[in-house]
Amino acid sequence: MTSLPLIPVDPDAPGARRAAMPPQHLADLDLAGRKDLVTKLGESAFRARQISTHYFGRLVRDPAQMTDLPASSRDRLADQLLPRLLTPVRELACDDGATRKALWRLHDGSLVESVLMGYPDRVTVCISSQAGCGMACPFCATGQAGLTRNLSTAEIVDQAVYLAGVAAAGKVAGSPPRLSHVVFMGMGEPLANYNRVIAAIRRLVAPAPEGLGLSQRHITVSTVGLVPAIHRLASEDLSVTLALSLHAPDDELRDELVPVNQRWKVCEVLDAAWAYAARTGRRVSIEYAMIKDVNDQPWRADLLGRLLAGKLAHVNLIPLNPTPGSRWDASPKPVEREFVRRLRDAGVSTTVRDTRGREIDGACGQLAAAEDSGTDPAGEMTE
């Protein structure tokens, strides 16, 4: 059994280890905070709105393109409000351009990933909240790498702004040109970087020029089950979707697959999820990776069905995207179909996640691992 990693639920709590964070960026601040900083720089407060309109309203991240700002002001404001946070390492495309995965290097050399997924009716981005992850789930590439550090609010937001710009440029054929959905399902455990993730959500949903102006209902926050943080999220007055990475309905197996289960058992995690649903009225998404001969037995489907029957929940079965050299593999399709049938017979809404990006190391953490190992994944690459 994998032993439970000892990391703080709240990285800003007293005694939490602090890593070197990037310089402050306008996305770290609300509009009032930006105005205050701009006036301290000797500029008129309206410059904060101007630069924010460029960044959030027009998706312009390059200060040189903000030509309505005087050159002298532009340089000073860019130094203080628009430091470069994400340096592109690779950008790979597949699914006829409908899926694009970006690998970024941060100011301290850490690597993070984000993914854009285009559909006929929407554009979704999957963003990272940490460099690496400390949850140690053994079937996950990011979990195998361990935690490097939390991302800043702006490092989180900047991923979405960049990919929103990609969509706006018409680079996702067959999809609307506007980002509409954001899922916190990239690298890291979002609720282990709680304060910055909440600040990032508020920036994503605030109307321009304060933020991107997305619907709260189009934001999904994933967690392996940090129970105190789930209760805290329920009190935030946000209508975001909670996605619970369950992966096993019984404590014996979940202790191994999701080591945090050694602290908060299945019943405690589900009780927290139902409390969130009751408080927000939002259906909980139960994420369940289908792993061959590990968690895909019919009796586990039946047990999961009993646990979820009658609850405000939906099961999202995920065909495992195995990492190179891993002993874990995806369940065969007949096994997957039987699992779905049993859940639906129990009255539980169930779908199977669309598999995207397998040929570009689509599973979270795989592209960063390939970069560290010197492997060159197939696909379009930009430097």
Side-chain angles (χ1 to χ4, degrees):
M1 181 184 296
T2 306
S3 61
L4 183 65
L6 298 177
I7 67 168
V9 170
D10 184 351
D12 297 313
R17 184 176 67 84
R18 302 188 190 281
M21 299 301 287
Q24 183 174 256
H25 184 281
L26 71 84
D28 289 310
L29 306 168
D30 60 16
L31 190 55
R34 294 169 216 159
K35 289 179 178 179
D36 183 59
L37 178 56
V38 163
T39 56
K40 287 178 180 176
L41 294 173
E43 298 285 345
S44 299
F46 77 89
R47 297 293 185 201
R49 179 173 287 272
Q50 270 187 297
I51 198 168
S52 297
T53 297
H54 279 294
Y55 182 78
F56 282 115
R58 298 170 188 158
L59 308 175
V60 174
R61 299 164 69 249
D62 181 3
Q65 298 180 38
M66 301 178 183
T67 54
D68 60 339
L69 294 169
S72 58
S73 297
R74 189 188 317 144
D75 293 342
R76 184 162 51 250
L77 291 171
D79 286 344
Q80 296 297 316
L81 286 172
L82 288 171
R84 185 174 221 189
L85 300 178
L86 308 176
T87 299
V89 178
R90 297 180 186 272
E91 188 174 318
L92 307 177
C94 68
D95 301 321
D96 295 323
T99 303
R100 306 177 73 94
K101 186 163 189 177
L103 176 67
W104 309 101
R105 194 175 303 278
L106 308 182
H107 79 106
D108 59 354
S110 301
L111 296 171
V112 297
E113 302 170 7
S114 40
V115 184
L116 179 150
M117 295 164 286
Y119 301 91
D121 61 339
R122 69 190 187 281
V123 174
T124 298
V125 297
C126 177
I127 58 178
S128 296
S129 56
Q130 296 179 311
C133 182
M135 296 294 103
C137 299
F139 58 91
C140 171
T142 308
Q144 294 169 34
L147 177 66
T148 301
R149 68 168 173 88
N150 291 317
L151 300 191
S152 70
T153 297
E155 286 174 320
I156 297 169
V157 172
D158 205 33
Q159 298 169 64
V161 171
Y162 172 83
L163 291 173
V166 171
K171 295 182 180 180
V172 189
S175 297
R178 186 177 187 276
L179 171 67
S180 56
H181 292 67
V182 173
V183 296
F184 284 79
M185 293 183 177
M187 298 175 73
E189 161 57 50
L191 296 189
N193 188 13
Y194 187 90
N195 290 338
R196 297 183 186 99
V197 164
I198 295 300
I201 292 171
R202 297 198 185 283
R203 220 68 76 233
L204 293 172
V205 303
E210 182 155 352
L212 268 181
L214 302 182
S215 167
Q216 291 187 26
R217 291 177 173 265
H218 291 171
I219 307 290
T220 298
V221 178
S222 177
T223 179
V224 295
L226 305 186
V227 168
I230 294 173
H231 289 304
R232 189 176 173 190
L233 180 64
S235 69
E236 293 285 353
D237 195 27
L238 290 169
S239 298
V240 301
T241 297
L242 177 70
L244 174 60
S245 296
L246 192 66
H247 304 312
D250 56 300
D251 287 322
E252 181 179 7
L253 179 58
R254 195 168 192 266
D255 281 351
E256 179 182 357
L257 295 182
V258 187
V260 77
N261 198 73
Q262 297 167 37
R263 187 177 300 177
W264 295 293
K265 299 299 184 182
V266 169
C267 62
E268 296 174 87
V269 172
L270 289 177
D271 283 347
W274 308 148
Y276 182 86
R279 178 74 178 264
T280 64
R282 302 289 292 152
R283 185 175 68 171
V284 175
S285 179
I286 303 296
E287 308 292 300
Y288 198 102
M290 292 292 289
I291 309 174
K292 180 181 179 181
D293 298 330
V294 175
N295 66 348
D296 58 358
Q297 298 85 356
W299 72 266
R300 283 197 162 96
D302 294 339
L303 175 56
L304 184 60
R306 291 194 296 273
L307 290 173
L308 304 186
K311 301 297 185 181
L312 193 60
H314 171 88
V315 173
N316 186 18
L317 294 180
I318 307 166
L320 186 72
N321 193 351
T323 58
S326 172
R327 66 184 176 92
W328 313 93
D329 202 356
S331 300
K333 286 300 177 182
V335 173
E336 179 185 282
R337 287 193 290 268
E338 176 64 10
F339 207 92
V340 170
R341 185 191 69 78
R342 287 173 178 266
L343 286 173
R344 289 176 176 170
D345 284 352
V348 178
S349 172
T350 305
T351 54
V352 178
R353 178 182 292 178
D354 180 28
T355 55
R356 290 286 193 100
R358 286 182 179 270
E359 63 266 45
I360 56 171
D361 290 329
C364 185
Q366 287 190 3
L367 193 56
E371 177 68 19
D372 281 337
S373 67
T375 304
D376 187 13
E380 172 189 323
M381 183 176 74
T382 59
E383 296 289 351

